[in-house]
Amino acid sequence: MTVSGKLLRDAIISGANNIYNNRQAVDELNVFPVPDGDTGTNMSMTIRNAVGDLENTPDGATAGEVAKKAASAMLRGARGNSGVILSLLFRGLSKGLTGKETVTAVDLSAALKIGVDAAYKSVMKPTEGTILTVSREAYENTAALAKADITVADFLEQYISEAKKSLDKTPELLPALKKAGVVDAGGMGFIVILEGMYSVISGGVAIASADDVKPQAPVAVAAAQEEIKFAYCTEFIVQKSSSTKDSTALRAYLETIGDSVVVVDDEDIIKVHVHSNHPGKALEEGLKFGELTKMKIENMREQHNNVVKADKAAQVNRKLPVEPVNEIGFVAVAAGAGIEALFSDLGVDNVVRGGQTMNPSTEDILDAIEQTPARNVFVLPNNKNIIMAAEQAVGLADRNVCVLQTRTIPQGITAMMSFNPEADFKTNRSEMTDAIDRVGSGQITFAVRDSEYDGHKIKQGEILAMDNGKIVFTEKNLTKALVKLTKRLVSSSSSYITVMYGSDVTEEDANEAYEILRSRISDDIDIVLVNGGQPVYYYIISVE
């Protein structure tokens, strides 16, 4: 039996719906305790970017045409490293099925091989025990089965079986997975998609989406990509007294009325964050532990609706590429009004809103490139999970593009400060790349899950300090974490420190922390405090 274009179209839509329905289960396999753009969500958004185009594809389209349309949409919609790798696997499917009216098992096997090769080539240092391993081993262990007398359904069933065997072995290849007792999230997401496709190809029913929500562009409100179960984001601080009870009971209560619960306790205060449908109940319970201050309640459904309206307007008003009149231009990825303004002040032409937890797509970055009036465009991803998506835009752009390997906001800022308008593109590429390695980057955030990571036993809600992306310690007091991490980053050659405080830190608290930090750092080092307004990170620290 072969697979027609219509059947392939319906199978890919079914696969997209299956990962969408199961994205949270895949997300929960993530072992990294830092808030991030989770694997299941990124893979779901990547493949669902193709659903609209596929739904408008006529029944008479060939398999090659369907595969090409899906691959093109997924390439542009790729988000995060897992989404980019998924898009490359489907690009292999497209190349292998070029000109094919229908698909045989031999065709499918050969196309999967092309995708595996492309995915491996796209990663500078491929890590085994990931989706790369799962896709490769599944191909290698089924290649001999791909012969003329086997149906596509039977071949795909065996491919999925071998993929599952490979997935089960991923903890043996990645110690972090073994410690957490989970398998690789990317490999699992790939299998979930294949199972959705198999449901159609085997003669079963197409898997329907759990709802009718179509994926939207990434925004600063992380909940915009998800079904909003609890509407109100509620935050407040409890001022402790001598009679204040253990905050464990407060956390336990909040978990009964909502989710995303974070309760951070120190000597003087309890900082609380919760998503619920009854913010008043959260506040009432907080009053049992002390006086409340700095209360904030936001309606996330209202925020989401505003974002959707803005995104629809943006789609209608999408601009054509601008004329490249300048020699060099810049695109940076950042979140937070202060940080975005800082990049603009340094000469960045277009800032793509995104970062940790908000991975922009290849198309988002491409649009910014083509709105930059320059023949040569530098792109600063400023996050390790955005670099691959940015690199996919290089081949799609109508001008020369260089993606600088900036993995943090401080690296991006330092790269921009090293730009020499009198030098040519090649010289600036070299000097800006060298500058990236001369800056120390610190980030302070919170743990979103209990975890044992890189030798650290971490509890949900604890403050995490990261030195150039690596978790180095946990802390209960935010100011103590800031001072300790900054001192760790400072060396005998350091002369300048920039501290950017985020949206979850008040100006008053930031200034108080700055004064304490100032008293603990040598007077020979300049320290600047900036209201970055960034989500996720309480503080971002740059040391040069």
Side-chain angles (χ1 to χ4, degrees):
M1 183 193 96
T2 61
V3 170
S4 66
K6 177 181 182 298
L7 200 60
L8 180 62
R9 177 199 67 189
D10 295 345
I12 296 174
I13 293 173
S14 179
N17 289 339
N18 204 32
I19 185 65
Y20 178 74
N21 297 345
N22 292 281
R23 66 197 184 284
Q24 186 174 350
V26 176
D27 285 345
E28 289 172 355
L29 293 174
N30 189 1
V31 297
F32 198 47
V34 174
D36 65 1
D38 282 324
T39 300
T41 297
N42 280 341
M43 295 181 77
S44 171
M45 293 177 71
T46 296
I47 191 169
R48 278 170 65 83
N49 200 60
V51 170
D53 287 350
L54 291 175
E55 287 177 338
N56 292 323
T57 301
D59 292 350
T62 68
E65 291 168 345
V66 168
K68 182 178 180 180
K69 187 166 288 191
S72 177
M74 288 176 66
L75 171 62
R76 291 175 176 272
R79 301 177 194 273
N81 294 343
S82 56
V84 171
I85 291 173
L86 179 65
S87 75
L88 291 170
L89 292 172
F90 271 82
R91 192 193 301 180
L93 187 70
S94 174
K95 289 182 178 179
L97 300 184
T98 299
K100 302 284 185 181
E101 189 81 23
T102 59
V103 184
T104 66
V106 174
D107 295 333
L108 181 56
S109 178
L112 288 167
K113 174 65 164 57
I114 295 171
V116 168
D117 289 345
Y120 266 87
K121 288 177 182 177
S122 71
V123 181
M124 189 174 297
K125 294 180 180 179
T127 300
E128 296 299 345
T130 66
I131 182 176
L132 293 172
T133 307
V134 172
S135 59
R136 174 179 58 79
E137 290 188 343
Y139 161 74
E140 291 173 347
N141 294 331
T142 57
L145 292 173
K147 47 192 177 182
D149 60 347
I150 189 174
T151 67
V152 174
D154 288 344
F155 171 77
L156 188 55
E157 182 180 22
Q158 290 300 313
Y159 185 93
I160 293 171
S161 176
E162 292 298 329
K164 289 180 176 179
K165 292 177 185 177
S166 179
L167 181 69
D168 289 341
K169 294 186 293 183
T170 55
E172 302 304 319
L173 298 174
L174 285 177
L177 298 177
K178 191 169 187 177
K179 280 186 178 181
V182 297
V183 294
D184 176 65
M188 174 62 84
F190 183 48
I191 290 171
V192 169
I193 291 168
L194 293 175
E195 288 178 330
M197 295 177 66
Y198 176 74
S199 182
V200 171
I201 291 173
S202 63
V205 297
I207 294 173
S209 171
D211 57 41
D212 294 325
V213 177
K214 292 292 188 290
Q216 302 292 334
V219 293
V221 184
Q225 302 299 346
E226 304 290 340
E227 178 185 358
I228 300 174
K229 183 178 179 181
F230 297 105
Y232 299 97
C233 176
T234 306
E235 299 179 17
F236 57 88
I237 289 176
V238 180
Q239 298 283 2
K240 285 185 173 181
S241 66
S242 58
S243 61
T244 296
K245 299 177 288 184
D246 185 350
S247 64
T248 303
L250 177 57
R251 177 196 295 277
Y253 173 78
L254 294 175
E255 288 178 344
T256 68
I257 66 167
D259 65 7
S260 298
V261 176
V262 177
V263 177
V264 180
D265 195 346
D266 68 13
E267 292 88 347
D268 302 313
I269 66 169
I270 304 172
K271 186 169 183 179
V272 178
H273 172 280
V274 61
H275 294 173
S276 80
N277 289 324
H278 303 283
K281 291 183 178 180
L283 297 176
E284 287 287 344
E285 190 68 19
L287 280 169
K288 297 177 182 179
F289 293 78
E291 293 187 2
L292 304 189
T293 184
K294 298 178 182 176
M295 294 165 283
K296 183 172 72 171
I297 300 172
E298 294 181 339
N299 186 327
M300 295 187 294
R301 288 199 181 105
E302 182 181 29
Q303 290 176 323
H304 171 58
N305 291 336
N306 290 338
V307 166
V308 170
K309 290 177 182 178
D311 182 63
K312 288 180 177 178
Q315 294 295 325
V316 171
N317 298 314
R318 186 175 294 278
K319 299 176 182 178
L320 295 173
V322 299
E323 188 70 23
V325 294
N326 300 326
E327 186 62 26
I328 296 176
F330 300 93
V331 169
V333 180
I339 292 177
E340 291 174 32
L342 184 55
F343 274 111
S344 295
D345 291 344
L346 289 171
V348 169
D349 298 272
N350 286 293
V351 177
V352 178
R353 182 168 295 179
Q356 198 74 1
T357 77
M358 303 170 290
N359 300 154
S361 69
T362 294
E363 187 164 31
D364 294 327
I365 297 169
L366 176 63
D367 286 346
I369 290 169
E370 293 186 339
Q371 290 302 308
T372 301
R375 289 178 283 276
N376 302 284
V377 180
F378 286 107
V379 178
L380 294 85
N382 301 328
N383 186 288
K384 67 178 182 179
N385 207 34
I386 298 174
I387 292 174
M388 286 185 70
E391 289 175 336
Q392 297 307 303
V394 173
L396 300 174
D398 62 350
R399 57 208 70 195
N400 183 47
V401 177
C402 173
V403 178
L404 296 173
Q405 304 292 297
T406 54
R407 301 163 71 87
T408 65
I409 291 295
Q411 287 183 345
I413 291 171
T414 298
M416 285 303 303
M417 292 177 70
S418 301
F419 172 67
N420 180 1
E422 304 300 322
D424 60 17
F425 178 80
K426 184 176 180 181
T427 301
N428 272 300
R429 180 177 60 192
S430 176
E431 292 181 353
M432 293 171 76
T433 299
D434 289 343
I436 292 170
D437 298 326
R438 296 198 298 267
V439 60
S441 301
Q443 296 152 320
I444 298 176
T445 184
F446 60 93
V448 293
R449 55 178 64 85
D450 290 346
S451 175
E452 184 174 337
Y453 189 84
D454 206 16
H456 300 276
K457 288 188 176 180
I458 297 167
K459 295 295 184 181
Q460 181 182 359
E462 280 189 312
I463 295 169
L464 302 180
M466 296 188 294
D467 181 341
N468 289 294
K470 182 179 180 180
I471 297 172
V472 289
F473 64 83
T474 61
E475 181 56 76
K476 292 185 177 180
N477 182 282
L478 191 54
T479 299
K480 287 181 179 178
L482 173 64
V483 172
K484 185 177 177 180
L485 181 58
T486 305
K487 292 178 72 174
R488 177 188 175 94
L489 292 166
V490 169
S491 68
S492 58
S493 61
S494 300
S495 60
Y496 197 81
I497 298 172
T498 303
V499 176
M500 292 161 269
Y501 64 94
S503 58
D504 289 328
V505 179
T506 66
E507 182 179 3
E508 180 184 358
D509 287 346
N511 283 322
E512 183 179 335
Y514 168 80
E515 292 300 331
I516 294 173
L517 178 63
R518 175 71 276 175
S519 69
R520 307 288 178 85
I521 299 295
S522 169
D523 291 336
D524 296 331
I525 300 177
D526 292 328
I527 306 178
V528 174
L529 182 67
V530 176
N531 181 357
Q534 72 273 4
V536 181
Y537 297 115
Y538 297 122
Y539 291 103
I540 295 174
I541 309 156
S542 172
V543 178
E544 300 179 65

